Amino acid sequence: MFKKAVILMIMSALAFALLNVFVKKLTHFNVYQIVFFRSIGSLFFTLPFLMHKKISILGNEKFLLLSRGFIGFVAMTLFFMSLKHLSMGASVSIRYISPIFAALFALILLKERVKHLQWFCFAIALSGVFILKGFNIEVNSYGIFYALLSAVFTGLVFIIIRKIGNKDHPIVVVNYFMIIAALFGGVLAISNWQNPVGIEWVILLSLGVFGYFGQYYMTKAFQIGEVNQIAPLKYIEVIFTMLIGVIWLAETYTIIGLLGISLILGGLILNFMVKRRSSFDKNSKTKMN
């Protein structure tokens, strides 16, 4: 089962990486139009699934679901905006510091404790962001700002999803997100709408397909594999994105840029290991008692 979970996680990372690459390829389109097509594409999968399984589309925690949808829309829009200004590797890496903001929100809103060692891990990750910008004048400040703000809103999304818990089916949560993103993205795109031509239709509609299967494969991987073994593999998305960007879009990375990205990923992986160890110790004490 572990081998299958690893394969599924790699497939998920590849799907998300291709999504990132295609968004980067479509930067001549208005960002809201990209959000609209990204959302519409996924709705082709989520709505039939809910109808087939006879699961209520409205869900139970309506306020939280609406909040998750709107905040998720803002986070996704900001991330796509960052791709217009930064290399894909930098954008994706910075977006992944969202667990730091999730921990801060959990500390403030849920009164959850953050271990001292976790703060050290967060400092390592954030130092990567500062190195990425501070020592690299070619890195766009707007791109860094959009990516960081996207990570903040994504961190808040994690807290809302935690509050929803098992009260609603995961696909109901995703479906709300996609409907709200499609509505807001579609309306905001009207004034700057650009009709796709030829293959652009395929690329735009494929965004939702890659997004859906990236999420689906990741969920399946977590269902059949142990979280502490599978979760770190999600960062392969950064590597896939960078490799495809270098080969297909001729993106380049400086030594300083690679160092910054490495520190971001290293800090996040260390944080995960600290949390895993803390959870293991807590479970061990519970069993002894």
Side-chain angles (χ1 to χ4, degrees):
M1 292 297 254
F2 172 72
K3 184 177 180 181
K4 184 177 180 180
V6 169
I7 292 172
L8 286 169
M9 206 63 181
I10 291 173
M11 291 171 65
S12 169
L14 182 58
F16 281 129
L18 289 170
L19 168 62
N20 299 331
V21 173
F22 283 144
V23 170
K24 183 74 172 180
K25 193 76 174 173
L26 295 165
T27 50
H28 57 287
F29 281 92
N30 179 273
V31 67
Y32 296 116
Q33 190 171 347
I34 297 175
V35 168
F36 171 76
F37 277 101
R38 158 70 178 92
S39 308
I40 287 294
S42 289
L43 286 173
F44 283 119
F45 296 95
T46 59
L47 284 172
F49 176 89
L50 294 174
M51 293 172 67
H52 176 69
K53 296 292 184 178
K54 296 181 179 178
I55 300 171
S56 173
I57 294 174
L58 295 177
N60 301 309
E61 298 290 328
K62 296 178 180 60
F63 175 75
L64 290 175
L65 288 167
L66 288 169
S67 300
R68 186 269 180 266
F70 179 73
I71 294 172
F73 158 72
V74 174
M76 179 165 62
T77 302
L78 288 166
F79 173 62
F80 288 173
M81 288 171 69
S82 75
L83 285 172
K84 288 178 175 285
H85 302 281
L86 295 176
S87 65
M88 291 185 295
S91 287
V92 176
S93 298
I94 295 173
R95 184 191 63 179
Y96 267 130
I97 68 172
S98 53
I100 297 177
F101 298 109
L104 290 173
F105 284 128
L107 178 66
I108 297 168
L109 301 176
L110 305 180
K111 308 302 179 184
E112 292 185 2
R113 291 183 59 193
V114 179
K115 298 177 72 69
H116 294 301
L117 196 52
Q118 283 184 265
W119 291 117
F120 175 69
C121 297
F122 294 160
I124 293 175
L126 287 173
S127 70
V129 179
F130 290 123
I131 287 174
L132 202 60
K133 173 54 187 170
F135 296 94
N136 193 344
I137 60 174
E138 295 180 1
V139 173
N140 186 286
S141 297
Y142 287 109
I144 294 284
F145 174 74
Y146 292 142
L148 277 172
L149 207 53
S150 173
V152 171
F153 280 99
T154 302
L156 188 54
V157 164
F158 291 158
I159 300 301
I160 295 173
I161 290 176
R162 191 181 305 174
K163 291 288 288 182
I164 294 173
N166 295 322
K167 299 170 188 173
D168 278 297
H169 193 284
I171 299 298
V172 173
V173 180
V174 174
N175 194 61
Y176 259 84
F177 174 28
M178 293 297 100
I179 289 176
I180 291 172
L183 288 173
F184 278 96
V187 171
L188 293 171
I190 292 174
S191 59
N192 292 296
W193 185 270
Q194 179 182 334
N195 286 326
V197 179
I199 193 67
E200 289 177 343
W201 279 106
V202 178
I203 296 175
L204 280 164
L205 290 172
S206 73
L207 298 178
V209 177
F210 287 123
Y212 175 81
F213 281 104
Q215 191 70 44
Y216 175 78
Y217 289 139
M218 182 174 68
T219 302
K220 293 293 291 183
F222 281 127
Q223 286 177 335
I224 65 174
E226 293 185 20
V227 173
N228 59 5
Q229 294 178 325
I230 301 302
L233 292 174
K234 67 182 180 181
Y235 298 116
I236 296 176
E237 177 191 342
V238 178
I239 298 173
F240 282 156
T241 300
M242 291 174 67
L243 287 175
I244 298 172
V246 169
I247 295 170
W248 190 9
L249 304 180
E251 288 191 337
T252 58
Y253 293 88
T254 63
I255 297 298
I256 292 296
L258 291 173
L259 174 62
I261 291 171
S262 298
L263 284 171
I264 293 171
L265 297 182
L268 294 173
I269 292 172
L270 282 173
N271 173 59
F272 174 80
M273 293 173 67
V274 170
K275 288 175 64 179
R276 181 184 67 178
R277 181 63 186 176
S278 176
S279 178
F280 176 78
D281 290 343
K282 187 182 295 183
N283 290 336
S284 297
K285 290 180 181 179
T286 302
K287 289 180 180 178
M288 289 176 65
N289 294 332

